[in-house]
Amino acid sequence: MTTGLRLSCLPLLAAIAAGVPAAEPPPAAASADEARCTVWARELGFADALARHDAAAFAGFLHADAVFGVGHQPTRGRTAIVADWMPLIEGKALELRWYPERVSVGGDGRTAYSSGPALYRNPTDGSFRLGRFGSVWQQDADGQWRVIFDDGIRPTPIDEAGAKAFEAGRRDTCPAA
């Protein structure tokens, strides 16, 4: 068994000895606080892309292999997610707004979790519902943070005062850790 293991390492050792360049390393991870604030800004930008009805910008925030609705019937891949969200992107089905309340960066410095409230407004009758979202962000090969997993909790009806409280809770700048 040991001989087989040693023989299987020969091609790798030969490549190293021949000076084969190593694969390009991923971009250096930022400090946890810098990464947290970058993800905070990306989350706000993601929500803004939806509010502007900008499908291309919305797609730019999605990892190519993203999975949305991880807690139930998942939608997989950037193209499928954009197609699934098109009624929301166009603002025809519901108006959706959200913002982060918390962002935490994983120990690897390249994975983060953001969560916060999500406000749904029915354009037909003007009613509001409030839910919560949770997104996992991953620093992609190009150094940009993109959503890899996303889900939320079912929204419940709220009144106009609740919608105003949602609006008042938004922070456009990353709070200190």
Side-chain angles (χ1 to χ4, degrees), residues 16-177:
I16 292 170
V20 173
E24 193 67 30
S31 73
D33 199 47
E34 182 182 350
R36 185 178 60 79
C37 287
T38 299
V39 171
W40 185 280
R42 291 285 291 167
E43 188 71 69
L44 289 174
F46 187 35
D48 186 53
L50 183 75
R52 290 190 332 264
H53 311 292
D54 187 337
F58 181 85
F61 287 94
L62 302 174
H63 188 281
D65 299 319
V67 180
F68 273 38
V70 296
H72 51 285
Q73 191 83 0
T75 304
R76 298 177 184 278
R78 179 184 293 138
T79 302
I81 292 166
V82 171
D84 193 43
W85 277 60
M86 196 52 72
L88 284 168
I89 294 169
E90 293 172 340
K92 293 178 180 177
L94 290 171
E95 294 170 10
L96 172 59
R97 294 193 309 272
W98 73 90
Y99 55 81
E101 283 182 329
R102 289 179 178 59
V103 173
S104 298
V105 176
D108 66 355
R110 298 181 196 295
T111 308
Y113 178 75
S114 63
S115 64
L119 182 70
Y120 300 78
R121 182 181 171 276
N122 182 328
T124 305
D125 65 11
S127 64
F128 295 99
R129 293 183 295 143
L130 186 66
R132 293 194 62 79
F133 75 91
S135 299
V136 176
W137 292 78
Q138 186 177 68
Q139 192 175 30
D140 219 335
D142 65 358
Q144 192 65 262
W145 288 89
R146 292 190 174 86
V147 177
I148 187 83
F149 295 108
D150 183 82
D151 208 350
I153 62 166
R154 184 177 306 275
T156 58
I158 60 169
D159 58 16
E160 195 158 330
K164 287 180 181 178
F166 165 86
E167 296 296 346
R170 180 183 165 118
R171 288 184 179 176
D172 289 326
T173 57
C174 179

